[in-house]
Amino acid sequence: MTNNKLPAWINILLLPLLNLLLAFAVSALVFLAVDVNPVEAASLMLRGALGYQEGVGYTLYYATNFIFTGLAVAVAFSAGLFNIGGEGQAYIGGLGTGLMCLALDASMPFWVIFPISMLGGMLFGALWALIPAYLQAYRGSHVVITTIMFNFIASSLMVYLMVNVLKPDGEMSAVSRLIGENARLPMMDEILGWFGIAFDPSPLNFSFFIALFALVMVWLLLWHTRWGYAIRALGANPTAASYGGINPKRLTVIVMLISGGLAGLLGMNEITGYSHQLRLDFVAGYGFTGIAVALIGRGHPIGILFASLLFGVLFQGGNELSFEYPNVDREMVEVVQALVVLFSGALSLMLVKPVEKIYLALTAAKAEKLKAQEA
């Protein structure tokens, strides 16, 4: 996902930024085609996402989900695995979180429910990734195919559970009962209020800090542990990794378990943080967007943080845009998001060679100048 001839700051920051600029340039043409000033549209999106406290809260709330699913995809990418099952793993992980809360909220305090619900979500998400991992490692089934299938299975399973098992009697919607107050994460306006800081209410909650902690832990895992070295070696060259004493089959399963566990953390934001109940479609495509987040972020936690914030701005700003312009509907905003994915994902290598040539030329010119000065 990176070019070894270029320094990290170009791979992680400059190249994604250039790809984004291209995506926004093409998006401007789309807005012009529907008679909308692209500069005004971009300004409105930024104001809607970052211009007031509630908008910032929504932006960071969306970004929290993207961090979890982006990290899940990135960890798998690091081992050469294309895990596109984050949607299903997040769905089942949220089920695990919700079940823990529903089972314990009548008898346990928050400090007990919080770690159990988080571990329950990670465990359920990891277990949902286990079968595709095993089939990839030991039976040769491609992880892309199996994770796609498991996304559909997860969706069908949730429909059955919500309609036939978890829905309270007399409830028309396919939702569970509300979890108790002692199982809910504190909201950000409440947390900041503890320190005397006023902040408008929004869905943003404590799970944002869990997401930041997950970023740090993935960074430590991949770049500062023996396991991380083995994961990256497997992704770079499976044959060489095997000759170096790494068991690729076992490591494939471990990596997929970690990936599924990270995706399963999404339930902390959606269930214990925001809706306070299990409901259908709470994943809402976050698992698939996580693929784009990982691609744009080049699989690095810092890049994933910025990519998650970008998609948070696009989601929240896009909602504001569709409210203000009658000729801009939600599908138009999704076109912008798709262009970002296209240029940052499928066409992410388009600018690598030109940037590499410019960088090497500038480096060579700088070296010659230093030699001339020394002489």
Side-chain angles (χ1 to χ4, degrees), residues 68-89:
F68 290 137
T69 56
L71 286 175
V73 175
V75 169
F77 274 176
S78 297
L81 300 169
F82 194 16
N83 175 22
I84 59 175
E87 188 86 357
Q89 292 151 20

Side-chain angles (χ1 to χ4, degrees), residues 24 44-46 48-50 52 55-66 69 87 270 282-290 292-293 307-323 329-330 333-338 340-341:
F24 291 144
L44 178 60
M45 289 183 71
L46 288 175
L50 303 172
Y52 61 105
V56 171
Y58 271 94
T59 297
L60 295 180
Y61 155 72
Y62 291 128
T64 300
N65 287 332
F66 299 140
T69 56
E87 188 86 357
E270 286 295 316
F282 67 84
V283 179
Y286 294 126
F288 295 121
T289 307
V293 168
S308 298
L309 293 173
L310 167 67
F311 272 92
V313 169
L314 289 176
F315 268 60
Q316 172 58 17
N319 291 333
E320 295 281 344
L321 192 64
S322 61
F323 289 145
D329 53 19
R330 184 63 197 171
V333 178
E334 291 177 355
V335 168
V336 176
Q337 296 168 1
V340 171
V341 173

Side-chain angles (χ1 to χ4, degrees), residues 109-346:
F110 172 80
W111 61 270
V112 173
I113 298 176
F114 169 64
I116 292 177
S117 62
M118 186 165 66
L119 290 174
M122 295 181 69
L123 178 62
F124 273 55
L127 290 177
W128 200 249
L130 176 60
I131 296 178
Y134 174 82
L135 293 175
Q136 164 81 20
Y138 293 95
R139 291 293 181 265
S141 300
H142 202 288
V143 71
V144 170
I145 304 300
T146 53
T147 50
I148 288 175
M149 294 171 60
F150 268 67
N151 285 337
F152 286 104
I153 296 172
S155 179
S156 300
L157 177 62
M158 286 296 293
V159 169
Y160 174 81
L161 291 176
M162 294 307 305
V163 173
N164 298 288
V165 179
L166 297 173
K167 186 179 71 170
D169 293 337
E171 176 65 55
M172 298 299 294
S173 302
V175 296
S176 72
R177 67 169 176 84
L178 291 172
I179 62 176
E181 293 281 349
N182 56 322
R184 303 177 185 181
L185 292 179
M187 307 304 289
M188 190 60 70
D189 58 301
E190 179 185 353
I191 296 172
L192 294 177
W194 298 339
F195 301 96
I197 302 173
F199 194 82
D200 291 341
S202 71
L204 183 63
N205 57 79
F206 183 78
S207 60
F208 177 68
F209 297 113
I210 300 176
L212 296 181
F213 180 72
L215 285 168
V216 174
M217 294 306 295
V218 169
W219 174 70
L220 291 174
L221 169 68
L222 292 180
W223 281 276
H224 293 277
T225 66
R226 293 178 60 185
W227 267 22
Y229 178 82
I231 290 170
R232 290 184 289 117
L234 179 63
N237 192 324
T239 303
S242 181
Y243 276 113
I246 296 171
N247 186 332
K249 295 181 178 180
R250 182 177 64 184
L251 191 58
T252 293
V253 173
I254 292 173
V255 168
M256 286 294 292
L257 290 176
I258 295 173
S259 179
L262 287 167
L265 284 172
L266 184 142
M268 297 298 293
N269 190 36
E270 286 295 316
I271 296 167
T272 61
Y274 174 48
S275 65
H276 304 143
Q277 61 183 173
L278 277 167
R279 50 190 172 85
L280 287 179
D281 299 327
F282 67 84
V283 179
Y286 294 126
F288 295 121
T289 307
I291 300 172
V293 168
L295 290 172
I296 295 172
R298 294 298 193 271
H300 194 283
I302 294 177
I304 288 172
L305 173 61
F306 286 110
S308 298
L309 293 173
L310 167 67
F311 272 92
V313 169
L314 289 176
F315 268 60
Q316 172 58 17
N319 291 333
E320 295 281 344
L321 192 64
S322 61
F323 289 145
E324 292 293 330
Y325 287 95
N327 53 339
V328 175
D329 53 19
R330 184 63 197 171
E331 285 70 24
M332 280 284 296
V333 178
E334 291 177 355
V335 168
V336 176
Q337 296 168 1
L339 287 170
V340 171
V341 173
L342 175 65
F343 282 91
S344 301

Side-chain angles (χ1 to χ4, degrees), residues 329-368:
D329 53 19
R330 184 63 197 171
E331 285 70 24
M332 280 284 296
V333 178
E334 291 177 355
V335 168
V336 176
Q337 296 168 1
L339 287 170
V340 171
V341 173
L342 175 65
F343 282 91
S344 301
L347 302 179
S348 62
L349 301 180
M350 181 174 61
L351 297 177
V352 170
K353 288 298 181 182
V355 170
E356 181 184 308
K357 289 180 180 179
I358 295 172
Y359 173 76
L360 293 177
L362 292 175
T363 303
K366 184 178 180 181
E368 291 180 3

Side-chain angles (χ1 to χ4, degrees), residues 30-41:
V30 175
F31 282 109
L32 287 172
V34 295
D35 198 27
V36 173
N37 187 320
V39 177
E40 293 180 0

